[in-house]
Amino acid sequence: MNRLPVWLSQHLAALRVVLVLTLTTGLLYPLGMTALAHVPGLAAPAQGSGLKGPDGSMVGSSLIGQAFTDGKGNALPQYFQSRPSAAGSGDGYDPTASGASNLGAQSVVDTLETNNDPKTFKPSLLTQVCARSAAVGALEHVDGSRPYCTADGVGAVLGVYYDGGTGGTATKVVSLDQACPAKPFLTEYQGLPVSCATPGEGYSGAVTVPIRGDAPAHPVVPPDAVTASGSGLDPQISPAYAALQVPRIAGRRHTSEQNVRALVAEYTTGRALGILGDPGVNVLELNLALDRSYPNQGA
Amino acid sequence: MIALMQAFLVIAVVVGLHVPLGDHLARQLDGGRHLKIERTLYRVCGIDPDREQDWRHYLLALLAFTVMSIAVLFALLVGQGHLPWSRGIGGMPWRTALHTAVSFTTNTSWQNYVPETGTGHFAVMAGLGVQAFASAAVGICAALALIRGLVRHGTDELGNFWVDLIRTIGRVLVPLAVVAGLLLIALGVEQNLGGSHTVTTLTGGQQTLIGGPVGSWESVKLFSGDGGGFFNASSAHPFENPNAASNLIEIVLMLLIPTAFIRTFGRMVGSLKQSWTLLAVVGILFGLLLAAASLAQHSTHSPVAAAVGGQYEGTETRFGIPGTTLFGISATGSADGAGGGSYDSFSSLGGGVLLAAMMLGEIAPGGTGSGLYGLLIAVLIAVFIGGLMVGRTPEYLRKRIGLGEMRYVVMYALVAPTVILVCSAVSVGLGQDGAADMGNPGPHGLTELIYAYTSNTQSNGSAMSGFNGATDFHNGLMVVAMLLGRYVPIAFVLALAGKLARQRPGVVTAGTLRASGVNFVTLATGAALILALLNFLPALALGPLAEGLR
């Protein structure tokens, strides 16, 4: 063995170690674990926690959320609605494209639609939150207003031009997220008239000034109803969002709110050990139970 | 209140488990007989397990193993279309495959591809999975060599890399992976070899669910410091992290080995007082980071957070904001880098704390092995500065910390800031797509970019995922950052170990600075904070501080 130079012998040893590790930790270990996962108690979770529908066919997984929409983004009113999702295009909840919006606190100015092409519209996180809140408010017949949101459901953000760049006297004010011909949420700011935003025009020279407005600090529509989750596949909503939806479901399903509330409670998970995580309601399981207990008799 | 109780529970479990695990590590890795199966393995691989190596040969073996690891993983990724259980996914383009091979071999696991459509089960199990074990063990090997350098006197020998590697994987990592994996599967993590199957949903739509060996991957990826996602959403994905209980276990797993290894250090140098001292430094740093991040995540200072009513964007209901914050700090304070939510959507200052945790050098508690040697570097600097301040001989564990030793220590400390700042600057200046790679406007876009290069250099792998690193430019520059950020420090650590081992034992005199007690803990904590964060203050001011303090 000592005939080879040491650097070469070490590389040959390295290659053999990598191959041995590939066989043991790379194949034996995961395949052994897969075999072990067939024992009772592990089998159901190991196979993906599948859920069966009324006809016995698989309808999904209790761990993976679904969109309860008509496929065009409109909520189906007979079902509890999931959170917004950034996984995949359209209504989200695409397990082949898990992920978050990844938009941060700076995301308050929209890229407005140009050339009548909806794909050019890139709403800021703020506008997404405002739009969702307005939509949920309309669906549940409650107040959908939020701080920093306009009444028409976009971000209340002004672009202010100053004669000294970022300071001095204001010369022009634009409501950045309200595309013309929308009526600006403020008629005037610092004595200047506020104009709507012209799509395609760059307003990068303006100082962005978000306007708080007079919406309540604790809006009626709960936070999870207006935000996308980290995976885009969150199977749960908060008990507050479920409670908000109860009257609509009860009306649609011709039963009492009390009955629906009892069902919601059944599918609510509290904090583990009393301190871990947040309480949540599993939406797919709840909707399956709804279909069993209080079938939707059509609109 | 809930946040505080969650943090105490995690810390209590980690500190409780670190004692038996740390002792176990010391027993298994420090000398003792070879097992029969290990002897067979050494024979098959052409290794003489009883011949110890000096620091140059130890480094050579480590680098040879690295080269072969990258080569084999690269081949597996490029050729995965011809391998079984690949779900019909074809070979990875070579630039992405090179980045991925380097990424997983260096224990970084930054992913410039979408796992759902980019990797088949075979490549995950036999490629990425192997490197999760191996890269963790490589970090532990380098740390073991440094400890031996501190313990031994008048010798060149620092141990045998191959023995350290095989023992770490076989005696510690694999058993832990099995136990933790089964626990996670019982809690809901899937473990099968199924491909994707499409179901008709309740509303008549279609949903494609992806099966896979997630449980066996999840346990390793967390305790090894690997952190790469089986799915794009990583540990925010319900199949990877199904509930609050699994979230607790995953956080504990990330912190466990690096913390236990501090105990192993104490056992090997024969002074548990030393390990408690280091643990105190780590505990203070972790506590500071967690407190800062929790406060930032609790605030609704920004218009978006005020409109929502909290930092809910990118957060899973089942973890809540405190659980997500705790996960984030554990992923960046260790070198794991798993995602428990969208770090891009953290509050400006909260995301800044994650970034600062990585810039700190990942010593709270850091990566497997790398956490300990990073910590020892900070301690040696504290010893040196402390010694100079009080006019005493800089000594640590009866080893003189002279000019020669300090040269390696300082060079180690300069690597990360240099690589991070130069790569970030090059990326800002020369990146062809400029701001197009940033997912957010304003200073937050710059934060994403600095975060990306910090994560790659520090072998972390967590991401502000709005940043698009999947370009030829970033693939190439990140490979450079990962290789420099991982192996140059390791080379300095081994060189330092060699220098220390050659020393004759010193005598503890009244003139020696005592490396324990409140004073020393304060000094070491301060040295770690100042050393790391001063380098990065200008970068932090342009990124997270600029966005958060407006």
Side-chain angles (χ1 to χ4, degrees):
Chain A
M1 256 176 27
N2 289 333
R3 278 167 306 196
L4 290 173
V6 62
W7 67 269
L8 187 59
S9 73
Q10 292 291 292
H11 277 81
L12 289 177
L15 182 60
R16 281 182 274 190
V17 171
V18 172
L19 293 179
V20 167
L21 288 178
T22 304
L23 287 178
T24 50
T25 60
L27 290 172
L28 210 58
Y29 159 69
L31 296 180
M33 291 288 278
T34 311
L36 274 178
H38 282 92
V39 303
L42 296 184
Q47 293 305 316
S49 310
L51 283 179
K52 290 200 168 84
D55 60 350
S57 67
M58 202 69 95
V59 294
S61 162
S62 66
L63 291 176
I64 306 292
Q66 293 184 355
F68 294 91
T69 53
D70 61 0
K72 297 187 203 82
N74 305 309
L76 292 174
Q78 68 271 32
Y79 286 117
F80 279 94
Q81 295 298 304
S82 302
R83 296 177 64 180
S85 161
S89 53
D91 298 341
Y93 288 97
D94 179 359
T96 64
S98 69
S101 74
N102 292 314
L103 295 173
Q106 303 271 306
S107 181
V108 297
V109 179
D110 300 349
T111 305
L112 300 170
E113 181 178 320
T114 46
N115 304 328
N116 287 325
D117 181 1
K119 272 184 240 153
T120 57
F121 177 51
K122 295 209 174 56
S124 63
L125 179 56
L126 181 60
T127 284
Q128 291 185 32
V129 166
C130 297
R132 289 160 180 166
S133 193
V136 172
L139 181 67
E140 313 296 352
H141 303 293
V142 295
D143 176 20
S145 67
R146 300 193 99 77
Y148 297 102
C149 290
T150 67
D152 52 355
V154 297
V157 183
L158 298 179
V160 184
Y161 287 88
Y162 292 97
D163 55 4
T166 56
T169 317
T171 55
K172 183 178 139 189
V173 185
V174 185
S175 173
L176 294 174
D177 292 344
Q178 290 186 293
C180 290
K183 183 173 170 291
F185 65 96
L186 278 182
T187 46
E188 59 170 37
Y189 179 78
Q190 293 190 355
L192 290 166
V194 179
S195 58
C196 56
T198 313
E201 190 156 326
Y203 291 108
S204 55
V207 175
T208 53
V209 182
I211 303 293
R212 164 75 176 71
D214 52 7
H218 297 283
V220 183
V221 179
D224 61 310
V226 298
T227 49
S229 62
S231 63
L233 304 172
D234 195 340
Q236 293 180 315
I237 54 176
S238 68
Y241 189 28
L244 184 70
Q245 303 186 55
V246 165
R248 165 171 54 84
I249 301 290
R252 279 284 168 163
R253 304 234 173 201
H254 306 293
T255 182
S256 69
E257 293 186 14
Q258 203 179 348
N259 285 342
V260 179
R261 250 181 249 120
L263 212 53
V264 169
E266 211 176 305
Y267 291 94
T268 304
T269 319
R271 293 193 162 99
L273 305 177
I275 55 168
L276 296 173
D278 275 356
V281 184
N282 190 301
V283 187
L284 178 55
E285 286 181 347
L286 174 60
N287 281 334
L288 272 169
L290 265 182
D291 275 359
R292 276 196 304 272
S293 307
Y294 312 106
N296 180 42
Q297 281 121 10
Chain B
M1 196 59 215
I2 289 271
L4 216 55
M5 283 157 76
Q6 291 185 7
F8 277 125
L9 181 61
V10 162
I11 291 168
V13 173
V14 170
V15 172
L17 287 176
H18 104 288
V19 171
L21 183 63
D23 291 348
H24 174 72
L25 276 155
R27 271 196 307 275
Q28 299 300 327
L29 303 181
D30 191 22
R33 289 160 181 270
H34 305 296
L35 301 177
K36 203 165 186 184
I37 185 168
E38 289 171 348
R39 284 199 177 283
T40 317
L41 210 152
Y42 297 137
R43 205 165 41 243
V44 170
C45 297
I47 291 161
D48 178 0
D50 296 316
R51 193 162 77 190
E52 296 222 340
Q53 297 159 324
D54 63 16
W55 79 267
R56 286 190 180 82
H57 285 92
Y58 201 96
L59 179 63
L60 173 70
L62 187 151
L63 292 179
F65 180 71
T66 299
V67 169
M68 288 305 164
S69 293
I70 293 173
V72 169
L73 182 51
F74 178 79
L76 272 177
L77 290 168
V78 170
Q80 66 169 343
H82 306 287
L83 296 166
W85 303 307
S86 286
R87 299 193 285 134
I89 295 170
M92 207 180 250
W94 75 266
R95 288 185 183 88
T96 316
L98 179 65
H99 177 277
T100 308
V102 172
S103 178
F104 280 81
T105 304
T106 53
N107 200 251
T108 309
S109 310
W110 175 283
Q111 292 161 300
N112 271 339
Y113 60 92
V114 177
E116 280 92 334
T117 50
T119 40
H121 297 339
F122 196 97
V124 171
M125 293 190 297
L128 309 184
V130 172
Q131 287 311 318
F133 284 106
S135 62
V138 165
I140 287 182
C141 289
L144 283 174
L146 180 58
I147 300 175
R148 293 193 188 110
L150 284 165
V151 174
R152 295 179 178 182
H153 300 288
T155 176
D156 280 328
E157 293 177 345
L158 293 174
N160 183 306
F161 171 75
W162 304 110
V163 173
D164 291 340
L165 182 81
I166 297 293
R167 284 192 183 185
T168 302
I169 295 175
R171 298 184 183 189
V172 181
L173 301 185
V174 170
L176 191 58
V178 172
V179 174
L182 291 176
L183 207 55
L184 288 172
I185 295 168
L187 285 171
V189 177
E190 64 172 357
Q191 175 72 28
N192 57 68
L193 292 171
S196 27
H197 59 282
T198 304
V199 298
T200 304
T201 62
L202 210 49
T203 61
Q206 306 269 306
Q207 192 179 41
T208 303
L209 297 165
I210 298 178
V214 185
S216 55
W217 166 253
E218 197 68 14
S219 61
V220 196
K221 91 155 196 194
L222 290 161
F223 71 64
S224 67
D226 179 294
F230 190 97
F231 300 102
N232 191 39
S234 192
S235 295
H237 196 292
F239 275 157
E240 289 201 30
N241 196 352
N243 48 49
S246 65
N247 197 45
L248 171 83
I249 291 176
E250 300 200 355
I251 293 170
V252 167
L253 284 177
M254 286 192 281
L255 302 172
L256 188 55
I257 294 186
T259 310
F261 206 73
I262 295 174
R263 172 91 180 178
T264 310
F265 164 75
R267 280 273 174 229
M268 286 177 68
V269 301
S271 163
L272 289 180
K273 199 187 209 175
Q274 269 314 309
S275 55
W276 286 113
T277 302
L278 294 193
L279 191 65
V281 175
V282 167
I284 292 169
L285 291 173
F286 185 81
L288 287 175
L289 291 169
L290 183 60
S294 299
L295 286 177
Q297 285 295 88
H298 189 68
S299 96
T300 49
H301 172 71
S302 79
V304 175
V308 171
Q311 296 290 342
Y312 285 89
E313 182 70 22
T315 301
E316 301 285 304
T317 306
R318 60 194 181 284
F319 309 149
I321 294 168
T324 308
T325 309
L326 185 54
F327 194 107
I329 286 297
S330 304
T332 48
S334 76
D336 195 76
S342 169
Y343 298 149
D344 224 343
S345 297
F346 265 43
S347 63
S348 300
L349 293 178
V353 177
L354 298 182
L355 183 56
M358 293 191 291
M359 290 171 165
L360 194 56
E362 289 172 347
I363 52 174
T368 45
S370 61
L372 185 82
Y373 61 68
L375 193 60
L376 285 176
I377 293 287
V379 164
L380 292 183
I381 288 174
V383 165
F384 191 74
I385 295 174
L388 292 185
M389 280 196 300
V390 297
R392 291 176 173 182
T393 328
E395 279 189 359
Y396 186 60
L397 299 174
R398 301 175 70 207
K399 292 285 166 105
R400 289 175 305 285
I401 310 304
L403 187 64
E405 288 80 8
M406 278 314 284
R407 194 172 284 144
Y408 293 127
V409 169
V410 169
M411 285 198 285
Y412 175 104
L414 284 175
V415 174
T418 311
V419 176
I420 291 168
L421 295 176
V422 169
C423 284
S424 297
V426 166
S427 180
V428 170
L430 300 181
Q432 294 104 325
D433 304 330
D437 296 336
M438 301 173 185
N440 277 273
H444 190 54
L446 183 66
T447 305
E448 289 178 341
L449 184 143
I450 296 171
Y451 194 102
Y453 281 96
T454 307
S455 174
N456 275 277
T457 307
Q458 298 283 41
S459 309
N460 186 274
S462 72
M464 289 192 166
S465 308
F467 183 78
N468 172 31
T471 63
D472 291 349
F473 176 80
H474 290 303
N475 270 329
L477 191 59
M478 282 174 177
V479 164
V480 173
M482 288 188 290
L483 290 174
L484 292 177
R486 174 81 167 168
Y487 299 108
V488 176
I490 284 185
F492 288 135
V493 163
L494 292 178
L496 175 65
K499 196 152 184 58
L500 289 170
R502 274 196 300 278
Q503 281 189 27
R504 301 275 160 208
V507 186
V508 181
T509 63
T512 305
L513 182 80
R514 205 163 56 94
S516 60
V518 176
N519 280 345
F520 186 75
V521 168
T522 313
L523 180 66
T525 311
L529 278 173
I530 292 168
L531 182 76
L533 295 184
L534 272 189
N535 287 319
F536 294 112
L537 196 60
L540 288 172
L542 291 171
L545 292 178
E547 35 171 323
L549 297 180
R550 50 188 272 159

